[in-house]
Amino acid sequence: MSNGSEQANTYHSYRVEGFTCANCAGKFERNVKEIEGVQDAKVNFGASKISVAGSVTIAQLEQAGAFESLKITTDEPASSRSAAATSNEAKEKPSFWQTYHLLLYSVLLIVLGYLSYGINGEQNLVTILLFLAATMISGAKLLKIGLQNLLRLDFDMRTLMTVAVIGGAIIGEWAEIAVVVILFAVSEALERYSMNRARQSIRQLMDIAPKEALIRRGNQEQMVAVEEIIIGDIMLVKPGQKIAMDGLVVQGQSAVNQAAITGESIPAAKGVGDEVFAGTLNGEGWIEVEITKHVEDTTIARIIHLVEEAQAERAPAQAFIDKFAKVYTPAIMLVAALVAVLPPLWLDGSWSTWVYQGLAVLVVGCPCALVISTPISIVSAIGNAAKQGVLIKGGIYLEEMGSVKAVAFDKTGTLTEGVPSVTDYEVLEEADADQLLAIIAALEHRSQHPLASAIVNKAHEEDVDDSAVKVEGFTAITGKGISGSVQGTTFYVGSPRLFTEELAIRLPQSLQQRIDELQQQGKTVMLAGMDNRVLALIAVADKLRSSSRKVLQELQALGIKQTVMLTGDAHSTAQYIGREAGVTNIEAELMPEEKLQRVKQLQERYGKVAMVGDGVNDAPALAASSVGIAMGGAGTDTALETADIALMADDLSKLPFTVKLSRKAMQIIKINIAFSIGIKLIALLLVIPGWLTLWIAITADIGATLAVSLNSMRLMRMKQ
């Protein structure tokens, strides 16, 4: 039983070439589901892919897509394609003439047909043959599929157009049916062009990483295709080169532009032990990198995969349109039949006049613009977000983000930097501050305490060299601090208790007040000194991110009603950080399950709630929220897997941009739907006085498709 279930849930992915519209993609999905041995199939129109559960051959898939002459290939990770394959793809890309030659022939024949019309008249055999040839050249595929659909009682756009063409031929409207067919072909070409432009952002991601890299194996250096590089190989990256694989720097240092991954153009400093990512651009330094991931597992490859999968995740608006179109198409056919038949039967109207009106209703009723109104918007928005360093894992999350009314934040690593650093260093007696800091850093170098690195980093920031300080007799005093001898003098670094309890030093009242003041700010206070006096005070804290306050102000300006900080930290620390950040509510000393409860309470009050966390200890709250947002940190696997949205640069300033992008996308989708339906209703009202013509019908249809496509593509240009 379990084996069968596992097999049913195992999906194999295939690339699809030749989709002309979203409607056709849906039909292909239905055809594949009917293949024997297939348990399920999911078409991803945005990424031109199909995922199939069960056993199926490429020949069977192509047979299912024969109505569109679809070409199927196995899905290979884009980032692992060889340079040769990429080159072949470029060579195989058809020219403008190869793509549109049939359309251009048809246009020429229509021009000749109208010349013959003017000279010989509409019913002349030469005129009819010219218009008929134009119709067959640009509409043969349309008519073939439409007739097949008609026999199966499968009503879609092509069925509508085929009935309109047949009716037009019966009543002798040769010129108009030729123009209707060619304009329908133009409409489909526009739709394909729009989707291809929207997919371009994904193609740009695919092309970022080089297809080969300079690898050192033994004493030899050689260019190796990325799919042949193995974990542990040493990759040599010259100044100005793009990095081909993920890995750790083992030699050299440089600044690396990580905009491709994080959306931030400011180069990040990289030295020994730092991680670098495929697709990023090396600066002026030479670095050697040990490969840590296969090409299909690199961060950029996983981002590409997740963005493609995101396009398949239908937003509620798109799901509504898909359902609406299934009812809408047969309804339009019924309306067209009634328009053609009722007036002649009941009102003694002219059959030729009202059949013509009915055909015009069929044409104007084509749901092209309606069906394409959402997918182009979703693909454009998700692709643009990915380029800006925001990974949105589905249309549903894009839509949800725009209606969020409350945002809950984790503290550590989200509102704060997540790394302790020295906030205060105060020398209490006449002493050389740098020399004393060098001694303190030399002692902390030998310590395993989590805060030791903050003090060592402080010394480096101040250009204080502690390497020359020789420490003898180093001792860790459990729970209180450390001690060590420098040039015969014993120094101590630790908590105030170390000095008051172990060394029995009475702290001056002013110093005790200063310690209390810093502790109320959520800082950890340490003292440094000798066995008889205190020389310096050091305060360490996890500092507030520089962007946190501004981000919270922007969110509140966008109408977010509640911003809540949920943390497991002590109340004093939480209150200080919360006030500094500017959140509207602070909840402290929470366990993970309590964070989950708080998120549910927010949902009961505000409806849509986003949770922003680090993707690890906030997993329950992230899962329960309407939208889980992870501070991704380039390459953080957990964040990529658990969150609905990942901020790849750990940059909170991307959050208001994501809200704005979501709202803009939903606004554009609503405008598209309203416009698509509105323009058709206006055209249909022209039936009442008998003014609707095939010309007006096709202009309304193609105009709506063009307007909707261009409106959707505006999302690709939206910047932070």
Side-chain angles (χ1 to χ4, degrees):
M1 290 293 289
S2 62
N3 288 343
S5 174
E6 285 172 16
Q7 183 185 2
N9 292 325
T10 302
Y11 285 85
H12 299 282
S13 228
Y14 302 87
R15 294 268 165 190
V16 184
E17 290 179 31
F19 279 145
T20 55
C21 64
N23 221 27
C24 311
K27 183 175 179 180
F28 176 54
E29 181 180 286
R30 292 193 296 274
N31 289 351
V32 172
K33 285 180 179 178
E34 292 172 4
I35 297 173
E36 188 177 350
V38 172
Q39 282 91 25
D40 192 22
K42 297 176 183 176
V43 164
N44 182 340
F45 179 55
S48 290
K49 290 168 64 175
I50 184 168
S51 299
V52 183
S55 57
V56 68
T57 64
I58 287 179
Q60 287 176 308
L61 291 173
E62 290 189 338
Q63 181 60 37
F67 69 95
E68 276 269 279
S69 303
L70 299 179
K71 183 181 177 184
I72 314 296
T73 55
T74 53
D75 184 24
E76 184 182 351
S79 53
S80 65
R81 292 179 195 167
S82 65
T86 306
S87 174
N88 289 338
E89 282 180 12
K91 290 177 184 175
E92 289 170 10
K93 187 177 180 180
S95 65
F96 180 86
W97 172 255
Q98 288 173 314
T99 305
Y100 299 111
H101 64 284
L102 293 179
L103 208 55
L104 296 172
Y105 283 140
S106 296
V107 171
L108 176 61
L109 288 169
I110 284 177
V111 171
L112 294 174
Y114 272 104
L115 286 173
S116 178
Y117 188 147
I119 297 169
N120 304 315
E122 185 177 8
Q123 298 306 316
N124 179 269
L125 183 61
V126 174
T127 304
I128 293 172
L129 288 175
L130 284 169
F131 284 130
L132 186 59
T135 302
M136 296 310 296
I137 287 174
S138 59
K141 184 178 175 183
L142 158 71
L143 295 170
K144 177 185 173 185
I145 297 168
L147 287 170
Q148 289 173 347
N149 290 349
L150 203 54
L151 293 173
R152 297 173 188 158
L153 300 180
D154 183 3
F155 302 114
D156 65 5
M157 290 180 284
R158 287 177 169 76
T159 314
L160 297 185
M161 294 302 298
T162 300
V163 172
V165 169
I166 293 170
I170 291 171
I171 61 175
E173 296 289 347
W174 302 104
E176 293 200 26
I177 64 169
V179 173
V180 163
V181 167
I182 196 168
L183 287 179
F184 182 76
V186 169
S187 177
E188 285 200 323
L190 279 172
E191 192 174 320
R192 282 196 300 273
Y193 173 77
S194 302
M195 277 306 296
N196 285 337
R197 281 293 305 275
R199 291 175 184 135
Q200 193 64 37
S201 56
I202 311 304
R203 293 198 188 99
Q204 287 170 354
L205 283 175
M206 291 175 179
D207 294 337
I208 317 181
K211 306 303 178 193
E212 55 183 8
L214 182 62
I215 298 294
R216 180 195 294 140
R217 289 176 178 167
N219 295 322
Q220 290 190 328
E221 296 178 3
Q222 55 186 318
M223 294 300 293
V224 179
V226 288
E227 60 268 24
E228 295 174 9
I229 295 174
I230 59 175
I231 292 173
D233 272 344
I234 300 298
M235 174 174 63
L236 311 179
V237 186
K238 298 176 183 177
Q241 274 190 339
K242 276 192 174 180
I243 297 170
M245 300 283 286
D246 284 14
L248 293 174
V249 177
V250 292
Q251 189 171 327
Q253 57 184 11
S254 185
V256 175
N257 187 331
Q258 300 188 146
I261 302 292
T262 66
E264 290 187 331
S265 57
I266 299 172
K270 299 290 182 180
V272 175
D274 289 329
E275 191 171 12
V276 294
F277 309 102
T280 57
L281 181 64
N282 185 28
E284 297 180 355
W286 169 286
I287 53 174
E288 297 185 7
V289 178
E290 182 180 346
I291 305 302
T292 56
K293 294 178 182 176
H294 292 115
V295 65
E296 63 271 15
D297 298 324
T298 60
T299 301
I300 190 68
R302 298 187 67 217
I303 289 173
I304 293 167
H305 173 72
L306 289 169
V307 170
E308 287 186 335
E309 292 302 308
Q311 295 168 4
E313 195 75 41
R314 291 177 181 168
Q318 188 171 347
F320 165 75
I321 289 299
D322 291 345
K323 291 176 184 175
F324 180 75
K326 289 179 183 177
V327 178
Y328 172 85
T329 306
I332 282 291
M333 292 198 72
L334 178 61
V335 170
L338 293 174
V339 167
V341 173
L342 291 183
L345 288 178
W346 287 3
L347 304 173
D348 290 329
S350 163
W351 278 99
S352 62
T353 299
W354 286 101
V355 166
Y356 179 87
Q357 291 285 301
L359 297 176
V361 168
L362 283 181
V363 173
V364 81
C366 274
C368 302
L370 192 62
V371 172
I372 202 67
S373 61
T374 43
I376 295 183
S377 300
I378 297 294
V379 172
S380 297
I382 289 175
N384 183 20
K387 288 194 291 183
Q388 303 286 334
V390 180
L391 183 59
I392 303 173
K393 292 170 65 176
I396 186 170
Y397 308 119
L398 176 71
E399 183 166 336
E400 293 274 284
M401 195 64 206
S403 54
V404 160
K405 298 298 180 190
V407 182
F409 294 88
D410 175 42
K411 181 185 77 72
T412 306
T414 302
L415 290 174
T416 65
E417 294 178 351
V419 179
S421 57
V422 173
T423 58
D424 302 86
Y425 171 55
E426 301 171 8
V427 177
L428 305 176
E429 294 189 8
E430 291 293 331
D432 186 319
D434 286 352
Q435 185 179 356
L436 183 57
L437 182 58
I439 293 170
I440 296 168
L443 286 166
E444 292 291 0
H445 247 136
R446 291 155 176 78
S447 172
Q448 300 299 314
H449 195 278
L451 300 181
S453 59
I455 296 173
V456 173
N457 290 337
K458 171 70 174 175
H460 292 167
E461 288 170 12
E462 300 291 334
D463 290 327
V464 171
D465 184 12
D466 62 295
S467 59
V469 179
K470 187 177 181 182
V471 177
E472 296 176 339
F474 176 82
T475 304
I477 304 165
T478 307
K480 293 181 180 177
I482 56 176
S483 68
S485 178
V486 177
Q487 294 181 349
T489 302
T490 301
F491 289 88
Y492 296 83
V493 182
S495 68
R497 287 172 53 219
L498 170 64
F499 289 84
T500 57
E501 295 176 9
E502 293 290 325
L503 302 177
I505 296 175
R506 184 180 178 84
L507 301 181
Q509 187 176 356
S510 59
L511 177 57
Q512 187 60 56
Q513 287 176 344
R514 180 62 175 149
I515 291 170
D516 294 342
E517 179 187 334
L518 291 169
Q519 287 177 336
Q520 285 171 5
Q521 295 175 10
K523 298 177 181 179
T524 301
V525 178
M526 293 180 284
L527 302 177
M530 301 178 190
D531 56 10
N532 59 351
R533 66 185 190 273
V534 178
L535 298 175
L537 174 149
I538 304 163
V540 177
D542 181 9
K543 289 196 296 189
L544 188 72
R545 288 180 185 271
S546 58
S547 60
S548 293
R549 175 173 281 278
K550 185 180 177 185
V551 165
L552 285 157
Q553 289 172 346
E554 288 181 11
L555 289 175
Q556 287 157 10
L558 287 169
I560 302 297
K561 295 179 180 178
Q562 185 83 315
T563 53
V564 186
M565 186 176 77
L566 306 178
T567 179
D569 269 0
H571 282 288
S572 59
T573 303
Q575 288 293 330
Y576 180 77
I577 293 293
R579 284 195 302 269
E580 283 288 297
V583 293
T584 54
N585 197 13
I586 300 163
E587 299 270 0
E589 298 183 3
L590 299 177
M591 298 296 287
E593 60 270 21
E594 291 173 317
K595 287 187 180 182
L596 172 61
Q597 290 169 4
R598 296 298 190 279
V599 167
K600 288 182 177 179
Q601 289 168 5
L602 286 169
Q603 286 175 319
E604 288 172 8
R605 184 174 178 186
Y606 296 102
K608 305 292 185 185
V609 175
M611 172 70 193
V612 189
D614 61 11
V616 185
N617 58 1
D618 298 308
L622 286 168
S625 61
S626 309
V627 186
I629 304 168
M631 299 296 288
T636 303
D637 294 345
T638 308
L640 291 176
E641 295 300 332
T642 59
D644 305 319
I645 296 175
L647 308 179
M648 295 306 296
D650 276 352
D651 184 359
L652 266 184
S653 67
K654 305 286 185 184
L655 195 54
F657 163 73
T658 308
V659 174
K660 290 176 188 173
L661 180 67
S662 168
R663 291 181 181 176
K664 188 72 173 177
M666 292 308 107
Q667 180 189 33
I668 283 176
I669 286 172
K670 287 172 184 174
I671 291 171
N672 285 348
I673 293 170
F675 180 78
S676 302
I677 295 175
I679 200 167
K680 291 181 187 302
L681 285 174
I682 292 168
L684 288 172
L685 288 174
L686 296 177
V687 170
I688 297 170
W691 296 345
L692 183 62
T693 66
L694 286 173
W695 289 100
I696 293 174
I698 196 65
T699 302
D701 182 58
I702 197 170
T705 301
L706 179 59
V708 160
S709 301
L710 292 175
N711 194 35
S712 298
M713 288 192 289
R714 287 166 52 211
L715 288 164
M716 290 190 287
R717 298 195 300 272
M718 187 171 170
K719 301 294 182 186
Q720 186 175 352

